[in-house]
């Protein structure tokens, strides 16, 4: 930043002694003259243009920077936002309430419709009891997985002898057998459940399907035993021998290990069928209908509880926004006030710079006169205070923004004085509106339940 230089530095920069020597040789200054010399006028021009001008430019830039920073302050708008809290929270919670109401009505209609479908299903199928099924299928599938792995592990040991890949090949063959058993068990459970249907035709078809699956499963299990026995005789044509022996004499298995495989596969098939059967109600379709109703009931309960929490969250989020706005107002006020103090300091420094510049010019003139007198060995000419004649022409700092912002600061002082009460009123308005909407929400839930026959859920 440009500052007022020392007298010696100014003398050196102006080459003042060389000027005096040049003027003396030219017969300047004259004795008892009243006009200023060209060199003396150049001293004034140097101080005004090179020193005061640059100082003014720097100080004005600093003032403009402070004004621009203060112009970005939004205290009035932020304060108005806090004052409009009640209106804003009413709109925000009202919009959210409308969305929640539509969602609750939709879920209630779906639940009412599915409950009606369940009642119609029970009436048509003469069901007077509740569905019996496993709520969680995790344990169910865990047991099925354990059965499949256990059967695979046992059968892989018996099938590894005849496989070209040894135990690895036996494991894959046993795993395929377990998957086939798994599929047969699933179909068998489906057919067995269909045999409990109220419709006679569907019941007969289910029994026929169950009998067919039982026959296929028995043939498959015995075929596994024949295949194991054929591996002992000739691994290369074991499949062909197994089919021929199964067709000719299904129970003609003479190897003890082969019978163990038959028993293991049969037990696994029975256990898998039982697990698939008991996981759902014995009446076909009853479990799916009941699960759908319970899922929607749980969704309805979660939606009702979530609706209240959602209203509370909207109120809490808005309360946090108001608190942040209040802190922002205080922060901007502090910055605004500090900026005004800084601008006043800049203006004060500029006035001090003017005084310093006057003193510097006086020193330069005295040095010029004194050095001239020594050179000419006579009294130097009178020289007035040049700068004082030019005070009205010196550049002035533009403080329009500063004066305007001083008036704003008075208004902001009042804002800060009222801010605590306004903030407290805003928080109270948020809490009051939140309580009102929660009461409306409770009334709405009760009305929806009555309209859709969901009372007592």
């Amino acid at each position: 930043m440009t500052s007022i230089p020392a007298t010696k530095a100014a003398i050196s920069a102006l080459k003042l002694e060389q000027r005096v020597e040049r003027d003396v040789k030219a017969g300047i200054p004259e004795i008892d003259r009243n006009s200023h010399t060209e060199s003396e006028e150049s001293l004034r021009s140097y101080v005004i243009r090179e020193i005061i001008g640059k100082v003014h430019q720097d100080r004005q830039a600093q003032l403009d920077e402070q004004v621009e920073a203060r112009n970005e302050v939004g205290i009035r708008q932020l304060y108005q936002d806090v004052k409009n809290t009640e209106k804003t929270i009413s709109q925000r919670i009202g919009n959210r309430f409308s969305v929640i109401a539509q969602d609750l009505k939709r879920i209630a209609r779906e639940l009412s419709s599915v409950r009606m479908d369940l009642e119609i299903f029970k009436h048509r199928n003469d069901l007077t009891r509740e569905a019996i099924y496993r709520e969680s299928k995790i344990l169910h599938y865990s047991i099925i997985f354990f059965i499949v792995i256990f059967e695979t592990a046992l059968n892989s040991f018996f099938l590894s002898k005849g496989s070209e890949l040894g135990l690895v090949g036996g494991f894959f063959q046993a795993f395929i057998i377990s998957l086939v058993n798994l599929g047969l068990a699933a179909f068998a459970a489906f057919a067995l459940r269909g045999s409990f249907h109220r419709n006679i035709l569907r019941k007969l078809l289910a029994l026929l399907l169950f009998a067919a699956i039982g026959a296929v499963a028995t043939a498959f299990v015995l075929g596994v035993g024949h295949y194991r026995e054929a591996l002992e005789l000739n691994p290369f044509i074991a499949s062909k021998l197994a089919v021929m022996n199964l067709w000719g004499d299904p129970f003609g298995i003479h190897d003890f290990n082969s019978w163990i495989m038959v028993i293991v596969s049969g037990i696994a098939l029975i256990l898998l069928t039982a697990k698939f059967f008991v996981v759902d109600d014995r009446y076909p379709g009853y479990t799916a209908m009941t699960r759908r109703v319970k899922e929607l009931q749980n969704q309805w309960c979660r939606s009702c509880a979530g609706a209240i929490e959602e209203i509370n969250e909207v109120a809490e989020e808005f309360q946090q926004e108001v608190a942040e706005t209040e802190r922002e107002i205080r922060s901007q006020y502090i910055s605004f006030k500090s900026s005004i103090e800084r601008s006043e300091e800049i203006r004060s420094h500029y006035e001090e710079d003017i005084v310093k510049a006057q003193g510097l010019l006086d020193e330069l003139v005295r040095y010029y006169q004194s050095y001239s007198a020594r050179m000419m060995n006579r009294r130097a000419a009178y020289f007035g205070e040049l700068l004082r004649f030019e005070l009205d022409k010196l550049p002035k700092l533009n403080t329009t923004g500063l004066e305007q912002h001083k008036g704003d600061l008075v208004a902001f002082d009042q804002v800060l004085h009222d801010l605590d009460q306004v903030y407290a009123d805003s928080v109270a308005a948020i809490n009051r509106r939140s309580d009102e909407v929660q009461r409306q929400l409770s009334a709405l839930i009760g009305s929806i339940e009555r309209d859709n026959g969901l009372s007592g859920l």
Side-chain angles (χ1 to χ4, degrees):
M1 184 187 72
T2 304
S3 59
I4 306 301
T7 303
K8 290 184 178 180
I11 291 173
S12 176
L14 288 168
K15 299 180 180 179
L16 191 56
E17 294 180 355
Q18 297 178 11
R19 287 172 179 268
V20 173
E21 293 175 1
R22 182 193 63 193
D23 290 348
V24 170
K25 290 180 181 180
I28 304 173
E30 299 174 352
I31 300 175
D32 299 327
R33 65 174 176 81
N34 294 321
S35 60
H36 301 145
T37 67
E38 180 182 351
S39 295
E40 291 167 342
E41 291 291 343
S42 69
L43 298 183
R44 177 178 63 184
S45 176
Y46 167 77
V47 173
I48 292 175
R49 185 183 65 254
E50 298 297 329
I51 298 178
I52 297 180
K54 292 182 179 179
V55 170
H56 174 274
Q57 183 179 0
D58 290 342
R59 299 298 185 189
Q60 187 64 58
Q62 293 175 7
L63 281 178
D64 293 342
E65 182 180 353
Q66 295 297 322
V67 170
E68 185 177 354
R70 290 194 298 272
N71 286 335
E72 296 177 357
V73 170
I75 293 179
R76 287 188 175 89
Q77 183 61 45
L78 294 174
Y79 181 68
Q80 192 62 39
D81 291 342
V82 176
K83 293 185 68 175
N84 292 337
T85 294
E86 186 168 3
K87 179 181 178 181
T88 306
I89 190 62
S90 297
Q91 292 177 348
R92 188 173 297 187
I93 291 186
N95 294 337
R96 195 59 200 160
F97 181 82
S98 300
V99 175
I100 291 173
Q102 293 298 324
D103 290 341
L104 290 176
K105 291 177 181 179
R106 176 183 56 80
I107 296 172
R109 287 194 298 267
E110 291 180 2
L111 176 56
S112 178
S113 176
V114 173
R115 288 185 68 189
M116 184 62 67
D117 292 341
L118 178 60
E119 293 300 323
I120 294 173
F121 180 85
K122 292 171 67 175
H123 178 73
R124 287 178 177 176
N125 295 280
D126 196 21
L127 294 170
T128 59
R129 60 178 179 81
E130 297 296 327
I132 302 172
Y133 60 93
R134 303 294 184 270
E135 290 289 345
S136 175
K137 292 186 177 182
I138 297 178
L139 180 61
H140 164 73
Y141 288 120
S142 299
I143 294 176
I144 289 177
F145 177 77
F146 174 76
I147 293 173
V148 170
I149 295 300
F150 185 74
E151 179 190 7
T152 301
L154 289 178
N155 289 341
S156 62
F157 175 76
F158 293 112
L159 295 174
S160 61
K161 182 177 180 180
S163 175
E164 295 181 0
L165 299 177
L167 187 59
V168 176
F171 175 82
F172 282 107
Q173 288 180 334
F175 185 67
I176 293 173
I177 292 172
S178 297
L179 291 181
V180 173
N181 274 345
L182 186 65
L184 290 173
F187 280 109
F190 172 78
L192 183 60
R193 190 172 290 111
S195 65
F196 288 91
H197 201 278
R198 185 169 177 269
N199 186 283
I200 300 299
L201 180 59
R202 290 189 61 175
K203 181 180 292 189
L204 291 176
L205 290 175
L207 289 173
L208 289 175
L209 178 61
F210 181 74
I213 294 174
V216 172
T218 302
F220 178 75
V221 170
L222 292 174
V224 169
H226 282 289
Y227 178 73
R228 168 65 180 77
E229 188 176 46
L231 286 175
E232 296 284 347
L233 299 176
N234 191 343
F236 298 102
I237 58 173
S239 301
K240 182 178 180 180
L241 290 175
V243 173
M244 292 175 59
N245 293 334
L246 177 64
W247 184 260
D249 187 6
F251 296 96
I253 301 175
H254 306 289
D255 182 64
F256 179 74
N257 290 333
S258 300
W259 273 113
I260 291 178
M261 280 194 64
V262 171
I263 294 172
V264 169
S265 297
I267 292 175
L269 183 60
I270 293 171
L271 291 176
L272 290 172
T273 302
K275 288 302 299 177
F276 278 116
F277 181 76
V278 300
V279 71
D280 289 333
D281 190 86
R282 65 179 181 273
Y283 199 87
Y286 197 12
T287 300
M289 295 289 293
T290 304
R291 283 186 184 276
R292 178 59 178 162
V293 171
K294 288 195 172 183
E295 287 176 1
L296 286 176
Q297 285 178 347
N298 294 334
Q299 184 180 357
W300 169 254
C301 294
R302 288 195 302 269
S303 298
C304 292
I308 296 176
E309 293 179 358
E310 199 166 344
I311 295 298
N312 289 333
E313 288 177 358
V314 171
E316 290 176 0
E317 289 176 0
F318 191 72
Q319 188 168 338
Q320 291 178 358
E321 291 179 11
V322 172
E324 291 175 359
T325 302
E326 188 262 351
R327 288 193 294 270
E328 182 65 19
I329 290 174
R330 296 186 183 277
S331 175
Q332 290 192 11
Y333 171 79
I334 294 172
S335 299
F336 190 86
K337 189 174 182 179
S338 299
S339 178
I340 288 180
E341 293 173 353
R342 174 58 181 158
S343 296
E344 290 288 358
E345 184 181 352
I346 292 171
R347 183 166 65 175
S348 175
H349 287 169
Y350 179 70
E351 293 173 354
E352 293 175 0
D353 291 336
I354 295 296
V355 174
K356 292 178 181 178
Q358 174 66 63
L360 174 63
L361 182 54
D362 291 344
E363 290 293 331
L364 293 176
V365 169
R366 280 195 292 271
Y367 185 86
Y368 177 86
Q369 293 177 344
S370 175
Y371 194 68
S372 297
R374 291 198 302 272
M375 291 289 295
M376 300 177 65
N377 195 21
R378 59 190 176 188
R379 185 177 65 85
Y382 167 79
F383 187 83
E385 296 179 346
L386 296 173
L387 185 60
R388 300 191 191 280
F389 298 150
E390 302 291 335
L391 286 179
D392 295 336
K393 300 179 182 180
L394 292 178
K396 303 294 184 182
L397 289 176
N398 182 7
T399 59
T400 302
L402 175 61
E403 299 302 326
Q404 178 183 351
H405 288 156
K406 281 183 178 180
D408 293 339
L409 182 60
V410 176
F412 294 161
D413 287 337
Q414 185 62 38
V415 168
L416 264 292
H417 180 269
D418 300 338
L419 184 59
D420 289 337
Q421 184 61 43
V422 172
Y423 176 70
D425 294 341
S426 299
V427 173
I430 293 173
N431 294 332
R432 183 171 59 253
R433 184 56 181 158
S434 177
D435 293 339
E436 291 175 359
V437 173
Q438 287 185 13
R439 287 194 294 271
Q440 294 176 7
L441 185 60
S442 299
L444 175 66
I445 292 173
S447 174
I448 292 175
E449 289 181 343
R450 288 191 299 273
D451 294 341
N452 293 275
L454 305 179
S455 300
L457 289 181

